[in-house]
Amino acid sequence: MITVNSLSGGKTSSYMAVHYPADVEIFAIVRNESAKCGHPDKKVMQMANDRLQKTNPDYPEFIGTPEHVDTITAILDLEQLIGKDITWVTSFMTFDELCRWKKAIPNQMKRFCTTWLKIDPIFWHCFLRYEFVKMRCGFRADEAERALTFSTKYKYPIHQNNYGKRQNKWETVEWREGEFNLIDDLVFHPQVQRFWESKNITFPPDSNCQMCFWKNPQQLKQNFSDSPNVMEWAKGLEKEIMRTFKDVSLSDIERIPIQYDFAFGGGSGCQAGFCTD
Ligand code: SF4
């Protein structure tokens, strides 16, 4: 059976890629419509687009991402370190398009973004090529409970390109089984941190979408400093859709005082396991 490592550009899943090589190393990048949220180095953006085009020449151009831009370079550097191609995939929808289509902003009650922007492109890539895979997600032993919500099924509309129209027919398939090497081998957070201390890869200070509703308001406040362009774009999206990621707006969160003893950089912690470190 084909093994697949689901990578996020964070330290934990990158540790998994180094220590538990798989047949396929896959990374789903979330795209948005703000060129200010692209990597400032055009060569980096070109490399990212080349990789996406290699996976699927029909993918739209990648101009910006709500993830930290260091995620892009971390994945490119990881590729060098493991000496192996990483398969880049993306949704055909941007974050902005998804919100317009749903007439909503994802929040803890309406958690639709992971499915459409992370799982969907990985599912289609794997299902069309391998039908059933063994998939590893970077869950450490200190977050073992996340493996409990790992789903082996995926439900998709039969006319899957018919976005925006009412879907009546859905099909559910078993497409993967999970493997949790870091939990099985008792790999905890400090071990992962120590491993990367001596390596020359700059990881994002905080993984995944910088405005993610899973993040603590303190982390979101910090991300206004670390990823100001993403947070400005996200504020604009809240205004456009007239909904918010948290129960207060990002503009309100921008005004809260920073709490310096907060443990920053925890990633998203989404239950589906695709938006993880
Ligand atoms: S990181 Fe958060 S906002 Fe981004 S796709 Fe995952 S759950 Fe959604």
PDB file of all heavy atoms in Angstrom, residues 125-149:
ATOM      1  N   HIS A 125      -5.934  14.022  -5.131  1.00  0.00           N
ATOM      2  CA  HIS A 125      -4.625  13.584  -5.626  1.00  0.00           C
ATOM      3  C   HIS A 125      -4.411  12.100  -5.314  1.00  0.00           C
ATOM      4  O   HIS A 125      -4.005  11.328  -6.180  1.00  0.00           O
ATOM      5  CB  HIS A 125      -3.502  14.426  -5.008  1.00  0.00           C
ATOM      6  CG  HIS A 125      -2.167  14.079  -5.575  1.00  0.00           C
ATOM      7  ND1 HIS A 125      -1.680  14.658  -6.736  1.00  0.00           N
ATOM      8  CD2 HIS A 125      -1.221  13.179  -5.185  1.00  0.00           C
ATOM      9  CE1 HIS A 125      -0.500  14.126  -7.018  1.00  0.00           C
ATOM     10  NE2 HIS A 125      -0.198  13.233  -6.090  1.00  0.00           N
ATOM     11  N   CYS A 126      -4.704  11.714  -4.090  1.00  0.00           N
ATOM     12  CA  CYS A 126      -4.440  10.327  -3.668  1.00  0.00           C
ATOM     13  C   CYS A 126      -5.467   9.354  -4.234  1.00  0.00           C
ATOM     14  O   CYS A 126      -5.119   8.281  -4.718  1.00  0.00           O
ATOM     15  CB  CYS A 126      -4.440  10.235  -2.140  1.00  0.00           C
ATOM     16  SG  CYS A 126      -3.090  11.159  -1.386  1.00  0.00           S
ATOM     17  N   PHE A 127      -6.723   9.751  -4.173  1.00  0.00           N
ATOM     18  CA  PHE A 127      -7.786   8.823  -4.578  1.00  0.00           C
ATOM     19  C   PHE A 127      -7.707   8.497  -6.075  1.00  0.00           C
ATOM     20  O   PHE A 127      -7.845   7.346  -6.478  1.00  0.00           O
ATOM     21  CB  PHE A 127      -9.143   9.436  -4.216  1.00  0.00           C
ATOM     22  CG  PHE A 127     -10.305   8.525  -4.460  1.00  0.00           C
ATOM     23  CD1 PHE A 127     -10.408   7.320  -3.768  1.00  0.00           C
ATOM     24  CD2 PHE A 127     -11.298   8.861  -5.368  1.00  0.00           C
ATOM     25  CE1 PHE A 127     -11.476   6.469  -3.991  1.00  0.00           C
ATOM     26  CE2 PHE A 127     -12.378   8.012  -5.594  1.00  0.00           C
ATOM     27  CZ  PHE A 127     -12.464   6.819  -4.906  1.00  0.00           C
ATOM     28  N   LEU A 128      -7.459   9.493  -6.883  1.00  0.00           N
ATOM     29  CA  LEU A 128      -7.411   9.257  -8.335  1.00  0.00           C
ATOM     30  C   LEU A 128      -6.205   8.416  -8.737  1.00  0.00           C
ATOM     31  O   LEU A 128      -6.242   7.694  -9.722  1.00  0.00           O
ATOM     32  CB  LEU A 128      -7.389  10.587  -9.103  1.00  0.00           C
ATOM     33  CG  LEU A 128      -8.672  11.417  -9.010  1.00  0.00           C
ATOM     34  CD1 LEU A 128      -8.514  12.745  -9.729  1.00  0.00           C
ATOM     35  CD2 LEU A 128      -9.873  10.640  -9.583  1.00  0.00           C
ATOM     36  N   ARG A 129      -5.128   8.519  -7.968  1.00  0.00           N
ATOM     37  CA  ARG A 129      -3.915   7.778  -8.335  1.00  0.00           C
ATOM     38  C   ARG A 129      -3.792   6.430  -7.633  1.00  0.00           C
ATOM     39  O   ARG A 129      -3.349   5.464  -8.207  1.00  0.00           O
ATOM     40  CB  ARG A 129      -2.666   8.607  -8.014  1.00  0.00           C
ATOM     41  CG  ARG A 129      -2.436   9.699  -9.036  1.00  0.00           C
ATOM     42  CD  ARG A 129      -1.463  10.744  -8.534  1.00  0.00           C
ATOM     43  NE  ARG A 129      -1.386  11.848  -9.476  1.00  0.00           N
ATOM     44  CZ  ARG A 129      -2.278  12.827  -9.573  1.00  0.00           C
ATOM     45  NH1 ARG A 129      -3.334  12.833  -8.761  1.00  0.00           N
ATOM     46  NH2 ARG A 129      -2.146  13.776 -10.466  1.00  0.00           N
ATOM     47  N   TYR A 130      -4.155   6.388  -6.344  1.00  0.00           N
ATOM     48  CA  TYR A 130      -3.851   5.187  -5.552  1.00  0.00           C
ATOM     49  C   TYR A 130      -5.092   4.548  -4.939  1.00  0.00           C
ATOM     50  O   TYR A 130      -4.995   3.474  -4.360  1.00  0.00           O
ATOM     51  CB  TYR A 130      -2.863   5.544  -4.418  1.00  0.00           C
ATOM     52  CG  TYR A 130      -1.744   6.470  -4.851  1.00  0.00           C
ATOM     53  CD1 TYR A 130      -1.617   7.753  -4.309  1.00  0.00           C
ATOM     54  CD2 TYR A 130      -0.828   6.077  -5.817  1.00  0.00           C
ATOM     55  CE1 TYR A 130      -0.597   8.607  -4.702  1.00  0.00           C
ATOM     56  CE2 TYR A 130       0.187   6.927  -6.225  1.00  0.00           C
ATOM     57  CZ  TYR A 130       0.300   8.194  -5.668  1.00  0.00           C
ATOM     58  OH  TYR A 130       1.293   9.040  -6.064  1.00  0.00           O
ATOM     59  N   GLU A 131      -6.210   5.210  -5.007  1.00  0.00           N
ATOM     60  CA  GLU A 131      -7.485   4.745  -4.463  1.00  0.00           C
ATOM     61  C   GLU A 131      -7.494   4.635  -2.938  1.00  0.00           C
ATOM     62  O   GLU A 131      -8.352   5.206  -2.279  1.00  0.00           O
ATOM     63  CB  GLU A 131      -7.870   3.402  -5.075  1.00  0.00           C
ATOM     64  CG  GLU A 131      -9.366   3.303  -5.246  1.00  0.00           C
ATOM     65  CD  GLU A 131      -9.760   2.202  -6.189  1.00  0.00           C
ATOM     66  OE1 GLU A 131      -9.341   2.230  -7.368  1.00  0.00           O
ATOM     67  OE2 GLU A 131     -10.478   1.311  -5.731  1.00  0.00           O
ATOM     68  N   PHE A 132      -6.513   3.922  -2.365  1.00  0.00           N
ATOM     69  CA  PHE A 132      -6.487   3.776  -0.898  1.00  0.00           C
ATOM     70  C   PHE A 132      -5.040   3.900  -0.425  1.00  0.00           C
ATOM     71  O   PHE A 132      -4.146   3.292  -1.016  1.00  0.00           O
ATOM     72  CB  PHE A 132      -7.063   2.417  -0.484  1.00  0.00           C
ATOM     73  CG  PHE A 132      -7.348   2.326   0.979  1.00  0.00           C
ATOM     74  CD1 PHE A 132      -8.536   2.816   1.502  1.00  0.00           C
ATOM     75  CD2 PHE A 132      -6.421   1.770   1.850  1.00  0.00           C
ATOM     76  CE1 PHE A 132      -8.791   2.758   2.870  1.00  0.00           C
ATOM     77  CE2 PHE A 132      -6.671   1.701   3.214  1.00  0.00           C
ATOM     78  CZ  PHE A 132      -7.863   2.190   3.723  1.00  0.00           C
ATOM     79  N   VAL A 133      -4.826   4.714   0.582  1.00  0.00           N
ATOM     80  CA  VAL A 133      -3.444   4.956   1.032  1.00  0.00           C
ATOM     81  C   VAL A 133      -3.331   4.816   2.551  1.00  0.00           C
ATOM     82  O   VAL A 133      -4.323   4.879   3.282  1.00  0.00           O
ATOM     83  CB  VAL A 133      -2.952   6.376   0.636  1.00  0.00           C
ATOM     84  CG1 VAL A 133      -2.893   6.550  -0.873  1.00  0.00           C
ATOM     85  CG2 VAL A 133      -3.801   7.468   1.292  1.00  0.00           C
ATOM     86  N   LYS A 134      -2.090   4.624   2.979  1.00  0.00           N
ATOM     87  CA  LYS A 134      -1.798   4.707   4.413  1.00  0.00           C
ATOM     88  C   LYS A 134      -1.272   6.115   4.642  1.00  0.00           C
ATOM     89  O   LYS A 134      -0.266   6.507   4.055  1.00  0.00           O
ATOM     90  CB  LYS A 134      -0.742   3.682   4.797  1.00  0.00           C
ATOM     91  CG  LYS A 134      -0.408   3.707   6.269  1.00  0.00           C
ATOM     92  CD  LYS A 134       0.581   2.617   6.625  1.00  0.00           C
ATOM     93  CE  LYS A 134      -0.132   1.273   6.626  1.00  0.00           C
ATOM     94  NZ  LYS A 134       0.634   0.253   7.321  1.00  0.00           N
ATOM     95  N   MET A 135      -1.978   6.890   5.453  1.00  0.00           N
ATOM     96  CA  MET A 135      -1.600   8.299   5.604  1.00  0.00           C
ATOM     97  C   MET A 135      -1.084   8.596   7.001  1.00  0.00           C
ATOM     98  O   MET A 135      -1.696   8.230   7.998  1.00  0.00           O
ATOM     99  CB  MET A 135      -2.797   9.197   5.299  1.00  0.00           C
ATOM    100  CG  MET A 135      -2.458  10.659   5.417  1.00  0.00           C
ATOM    101  SD  MET A 135      -3.613  11.685   4.515  1.00  0.00           S
ATOM    102  CE  MET A 135      -3.192  11.297   2.830  1.00  0.00           C
ATOM    103  N   ARG A 136       0.085   9.264   7.021  1.00  0.00           N
ATOM    104  CA  ARG A 136       0.634   9.676   8.312  1.00  0.00           C
ATOM    105  C   ARG A 136       0.378  11.160   8.512  1.00  0.00           C
ATOM    106  O   ARG A 136       0.621  11.968   7.622  1.00  0.00           O
ATOM    107  CB  ARG A 136       2.151   9.491   8.346  1.00  0.00           C
ATOM    108  CG  ARG A 136       2.663   8.095   8.472  1.00  0.00           C
ATOM    109  CD  ARG A 136       3.050   7.546   7.137  1.00  0.00           C
ATOM    110  NE  ARG A 136       3.940   6.419   7.248  1.00  0.00           N
ATOM    111  CZ  ARG A 136       5.245   6.499   6.971  1.00  0.00           C
ATOM    112  NH1 ARG A 136       5.806   7.631   6.602  1.00  0.00           N
ATOM    113  NH2 ARG A 136       5.986   5.422   7.066  1.00  0.00           N
ATOM    114  N   CYS A 137      -0.132  11.514   9.680  1.00  0.00           N
ATOM    115  CA  CYS A 137      -0.292  12.916  10.063  1.00  0.00           C
ATOM    116  C   CYS A 137       0.673  13.178  11.213  1.00  0.00           C
ATOM    117  O   CYS A 137       0.903  12.295  12.047  1.00  0.00           O
ATOM    118  CB  CYS A 137      -1.712  13.209  10.527  1.00  0.00           C
ATOM    119  SG  CYS A 137      -2.878  13.229   9.169  1.00  0.00           S
ATOM    120  N   GLY A 138       1.213  14.379  11.251  1.00  0.00           N
ATOM    121  CA  GLY A 138       2.210  14.711  12.271  1.00  0.00           C
ATOM    122  C   GLY A 138       1.582  15.021  13.620  1.00  0.00           C
ATOM    123  O   GLY A 138       1.596  16.164  14.060  1.00  0.00           O
ATOM    124  N   PHE A 139       1.043  14.004  14.270  1.00  0.00           N
ATOM    125  CA  PHE A 139       0.547  14.193  15.636  1.00  0.00           C
ATOM    126  C   PHE A 139       1.607  13.661  16.586  1.00  0.00           C
ATOM    127  O   PHE A 139       2.003  12.502  16.489  1.00  0.00           O
ATOM    128  CB  PHE A 139      -0.734  13.395  15.886  1.00  0.00           C
ATOM    129  CG  PHE A 139      -1.889  13.770  15.007  1.00  0.00           C
ATOM    130  CD1 PHE A 139      -2.784  12.798  14.597  1.00  0.00           C
ATOM    131  CD2 PHE A 139      -2.095  15.071  14.600  1.00  0.00           C
ATOM    132  CE1 PHE A 139      -3.864  13.121  13.799  1.00  0.00           C
ATOM    133  CE2 PHE A 139      -3.177  15.403  13.804  1.00  0.00           C
ATOM    134  CZ  PHE A 139      -4.059  14.423  13.398  1.00  0.00           C
ATOM    135  N   ARG A 140       2.037  14.505  17.544  1.00  0.00           N
ATOM    136  CA  ARG A 140       3.028  14.054  18.517  1.00  0.00           C
ATOM    137  C   ARG A 140       2.335  13.312  19.668  1.00  0.00           C
ATOM    138  O   ARG A 140       1.123  13.380  19.829  1.00  0.00           O
ATOM    139  CB  ARG A 140       3.797  15.261  19.088  1.00  0.00           C
ATOM    140  CG  ARG A 140       4.644  16.013  18.082  1.00  0.00           C
ATOM    141  CD  ARG A 140       5.372  17.142  18.802  1.00  0.00           C
ATOM    142  NE  ARG A 140       4.470  17.935  19.611  1.00  0.00           N
ATOM    143  CZ  ARG A 140       3.866  19.056  19.183  1.00  0.00           C
ATOM    144  NH1 ARG A 140       4.115  19.527  17.987  1.00  0.00           N
ATOM    145  NH2 ARG A 140       3.038  19.695  19.980  1.00  0.00           N
ATOM    146  N   ALA A 141       3.182  12.666  20.497  1.00  0.00           N
ATOM    147  CA  ALA A 141       2.642  11.917  21.633  1.00  0.00           C
ATOM    148  C   ALA A 141       1.935  12.836  22.634  1.00  0.00           C
ATOM    149  O   ALA A 141       1.032  12.408  23.347  1.00  0.00           O
ATOM    150  CB  ALA A 141       3.766  11.147  22.319  1.00  0.00           C
ATOM    151  N   ASP A 142       2.331  14.137  22.676  1.00  0.00           N
ATOM    152  CA  ASP A 142       1.671  15.044  23.625  1.00  0.00           C
ATOM    153  C   ASP A 142       0.355  15.586  23.081  1.00  0.00           C
ATOM    154  O   ASP A 142      -0.289  16.398  23.724  1.00  0.00           O
ATOM    155  CB  ASP A 142       2.611  16.209  24.004  1.00  0.00           C
ATOM    156  CG  ASP A 142       3.220  16.891  22.793  1.00  0.00           C
ATOM    157  OD1 ASP A 142       4.053  16.239  22.128  1.00  0.00           O
ATOM    158  OD2 ASP A 142       2.864  18.040  22.509  1.00  0.00           O
ATOM    159  N   GLU A 143      -0.030  15.175  21.896  1.00  0.00           N
ATOM    160  CA  GLU A 143      -1.328  15.593  21.354  1.00  0.00           C
ATOM    161  C   GLU A 143      -2.035  14.377  20.747  1.00  0.00           C
ATOM    162  O   GLU A 143      -2.708  14.476  19.716  1.00  0.00           O
ATOM    163  CB  GLU A 143      -1.139  16.720  20.319  1.00  0.00           C
ATOM    164  CG  GLU A 143      -0.070  16.419  19.295  1.00  0.00           C
ATOM    165  CD  GLU A 143       0.225  17.553  18.325  1.00  0.00           C
ATOM    166  OE1 GLU A 143      -0.223  18.682  18.546  1.00  0.00           O
ATOM    167  OE2 GLU A 143       0.900  17.263  17.322  1.00  0.00           O
ATOM    168  N   ALA A 144      -1.850  13.228  21.419  1.00  0.00           N
ATOM    169  CA  ALA A 144      -2.322  11.938  20.900  1.00  0.00           C
ATOM    170  C   ALA A 144      -3.835  11.910  20.681  1.00  0.00           C
ATOM    171  O   ALA A 144      -4.338  11.180  19.829  1.00  0.00           O
ATOM    172  CB  ALA A 144      -1.907  10.820  21.843  1.00  0.00           C
ATOM    173  N   GLU A 145      -4.554  12.726  21.434  1.00  0.00           N
ATOM    174  CA  GLU A 145      -6.020  12.708  21.321  1.00  0.00           C
ATOM    175  C   GLU A 145      -6.473  13.103  19.911  1.00  0.00           C
ATOM    176  O   GLU A 145      -7.573  12.773  19.482  1.00  0.00           O
ATOM    177  CB  GLU A 145      -6.663  13.606  22.389  1.00  0.00           C
ATOM    178  CG  GLU A 145      -6.512  15.111  22.212  1.00  0.00           C
ATOM    179  CD  GLU A 145      -5.104  15.645  22.483  1.00  0.00           C
ATOM    180  OE1 GLU A 145      -4.273  14.888  23.029  1.00  0.00           O
ATOM    181  OE2 GLU A 145      -4.839  16.815  22.150  1.00  0.00           O
ATOM    182  N   ARG A 146      -5.606  13.790  19.172  1.00  0.00           N
ATOM    183  CA  ARG A 146      -5.995  14.230  17.833  1.00  0.00           C
ATOM    184  C   ARG A 146      -6.180  13.050  16.877  1.00  0.00           C
ATOM    185  O   ARG A 146      -6.913  13.155  15.898  1.00  0.00           O
ATOM    186  CB  ARG A 146      -4.968  15.219  17.287  1.00  0.00           C
ATOM    187  CG  ARG A 146      -4.914  16.474  18.141  1.00  0.00           C
ATOM    188  CD  ARG A 146      -3.883  17.430  17.675  1.00  0.00           C
ATOM    189  NE  ARG A 146      -4.295  18.096  16.451  1.00  0.00           N
ATOM    190  CZ  ARG A 146      -3.549  18.981  15.811  1.00  0.00           C
ATOM    191  NH1 ARG A 146      -2.362  19.284  16.270  1.00  0.00           N
ATOM    192  NH2 ARG A 146      -3.983  19.551  14.720  1.00  0.00           N
ATOM    193  N   ALA A 147      -5.491  11.952  17.166  1.00  0.00           N
ATOM    194  CA  ALA A 147      -5.622  10.777  16.298  1.00  0.00           C
ATOM    195  C   ALA A 147      -7.025  10.179  16.397  1.00  0.00           C
ATOM    196  O   ALA A 147      -7.485   9.496  15.481  1.00  0.00           O
ATOM    197  CB  ALA A 147      -4.580   9.738  16.681  1.00  0.00           C
ATOM    198  N   LEU A 148      -7.727  10.443  17.509  1.00  0.00           N
ATOM    199  CA  LEU A 148      -9.051   9.848  17.710  1.00  0.00           C
ATOM    200  C   LEU A 148     -10.076  10.377  16.713  1.00  0.00           C
ATOM    201  O   LEU A 148     -11.068   9.722  16.426  1.00  0.00           O
ATOM    202  CB  LEU A 148      -9.537  10.124  19.147  1.00  0.00           C
ATOM    203  CG  LEU A 148      -8.640   9.581  20.267  1.00  0.00           C
ATOM    204  CD1 LEU A 148      -9.153  10.028  21.629  1.00  0.00           C
ATOM    205  CD2 LEU A 148      -8.570   8.055  20.182  1.00  0.00           C
ATOM    206  N   THR A 149      -9.844  11.583  16.198  1.00  0.00           N
ATOM    207  CA  THR A 149     -10.836  12.165  15.284  1.00  0.00           C
ATOM    208  C   THR A 149     -10.420  11.980  13.816  1.00  0.00           C
ATOM    209  O   THR A 149     -11.036  12.544  12.923  1.00  0.00           O
ATOM    210  CB  THR A 149     -11.027  13.672  15.565  1.00  0.00           C
ATOM    211  OG1 THR A 149      -9.743  14.305  15.574  1.00  0.00           O
ATOM    212  CG2 THR A 149     -11.711  13.915  16.892  1.00  0.00           C
TER     213      THR A 149
END
